């Protein structure tokens, strides 16, 4: 394994090149996951990919997994700080498949719902469906996305050491740390992802290359 420091801008350019170089790019929809704990800010990397992809002729749609959490009545059934529920139950995999990922399968409709439920109000966002043009790219950010049999053409994992994760996780979210430790132990996201980026310092990411 080799680790190469890289600037955030160059990382976005490199990933955009990787996405546009995928088999079928420009002919079919591509689904890209940017996986990482909230402390790793996966949404920032996903956002940073939109313009480089546009310049390469690939329109991108941004979707956050946070818009596809199960209702609070299910998420919090075992309490507000149950780590197993956070790991297993919070993300509505079925809705994410049905409304976002499956429509972008070959022969799909390309009609995607960008969000389902507001995680703060626990109410429907009433977001309108969006038609992803042929050759478009879905950029999905979120935590604990891998190991769920969700279909992606490319997955990127933002890795944090346990110390960095603890340091950058707000005090009211520290209870989630055991869930991420379980994710590391059971899923091994750094190995499960197509690409891994060390993100202990978001200003100085490093690309991990497997040898």
């Amino acid at each position: 394994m080799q680790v190469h420091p890289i600037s955030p801008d160059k990382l976005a350019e490199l990933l955009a090149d990787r996405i546009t170089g995928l088999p079928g790019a420009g002919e079919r929809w591509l689904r890209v996951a940017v996986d990482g704990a909230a402390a790793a800010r996966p949404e920032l990397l996903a956002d940073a990919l939109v313009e480089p992809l546009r310049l390469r002729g690939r329109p991108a749609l941004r979707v956050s997994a946070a818009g596809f959490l199960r209702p609070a009545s299910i998420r919090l059934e075992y309490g507000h700080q149950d780590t197993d529920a956070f790991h297993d139950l919070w993300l509505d995999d079925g809705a994410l498949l049905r409304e976002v990922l499956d429509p972008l399968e070959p022969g799909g409709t390309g009609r995607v719902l960008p969000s389902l439920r507001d995680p703060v109000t626990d109410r429907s966002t009433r977001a309108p469906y969006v038609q992803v043009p042929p050759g478009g790219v879905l950029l999905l950010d979120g935590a604990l996305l891998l190991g769920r049999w969700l279909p992606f053409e490319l997955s990127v994992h933002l890795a944090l050491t346990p110390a960095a994760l603890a340091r950058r996780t707000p005090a009211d979210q520290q209870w989630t740390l055991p869930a991420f430790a379980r994710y590391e132990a059971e899923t091994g996201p750094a190995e499960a992802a197509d690409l891994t980026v060390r993100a202990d310092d978001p200003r100085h990411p490093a690309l991990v290359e497997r040898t």
Side-chain angles (χ1 to χ4, degrees):
M1 181 179 68
Q2 296 181 339
V3 180
H4 303 283
I6 188 171
S7 72
D9 289 343
K10 288 185 177 180
L11 176 61
E13 294 290 335
L14 182 150
L15 291 177
D17 284 340
R18 178 69 178 263
I19 292 167
T20 54
L22 289 170
E27 301 172 2
R28 58 162 299 183
W29 298 296
L30 298 176
R31 298 160 294 186
V32 176
V34 182
D35 171 72
R41 305 299 302 274
E43 74 281 4
L44 296 183
L45 178 56
D47 288 345
L49 290 171
V50 173
E51 181 63 10
L53 286 171
R54 185 190 69 80
L55 293 175
R56 289 162 174 78
R58 302 288 180 265
L61 173 66
R62 282 285 291 108
V63 173
S64 175
F68 288 87
L69 299 184
R70 288 190 168 92
S73 59
I74 297 175
R75 298 199 314 271
L76 308 180
E77 180 180 0
Y78 302 101
H80 283 71
Q81 297 186 358
D82 187 282
T83 58
D84 287 333
F86 178 74
H87 183 283
D88 297 333
L89 299 177
W90 278 40
L91 182 64
D92 192 340
D93 310 62
L96 195 57
L97 278 167
R98 181 180 68 251
E99 303 290 0
V100 180
L101 299 172
D102 284 350
L104 300 180
E105 288 280 356
T109 64
R111 189 169 177 263
V112 169
L113 186 67
S115 65
L116 178 64
R117 183 174 292 103
D118 186 317
V120 176
T121 66
D122 199 39
R123 296 178 179 177
S124 170
T125 61
R126 301 184 183 277
Y129 282 87
V130 175
Q131 187 67 41
V132 182
V137 179
L138 168 74
L139 297 169
L140 174 72
D141 75 271
L144 309 172
L145 294 178
L146 305 179
R148 295 175 175 271
W149 301 101
L150 297 174
F152 302 114
E153 279 65 56
L154 184 72
S155 57
V156 181
H157 174 63
L158 301 184
L160 294 172
T161 63
L165 177 60
R167 183 174 65 252
R168 293 173 53 193
T169 298
D172 64 346
Q173 296 297 314
Q174 290 280 315
W175 66 270
T176 64
L177 296 181
F180 289 105
R182 179 183 164 194
Y183 186 52
E184 289 290 335
E186 296 183 3
T187 300
E191 292 73 37
D194 297 304
L195 291 169
T196 297
V197 176
R198 290 189 178 175
D200 286 354
D201 184 342
R203 299 165 300 175
H204 304 288
L207 184 65
V208 178
E209 292 188 6
R210 303 183 184 102
T211 56

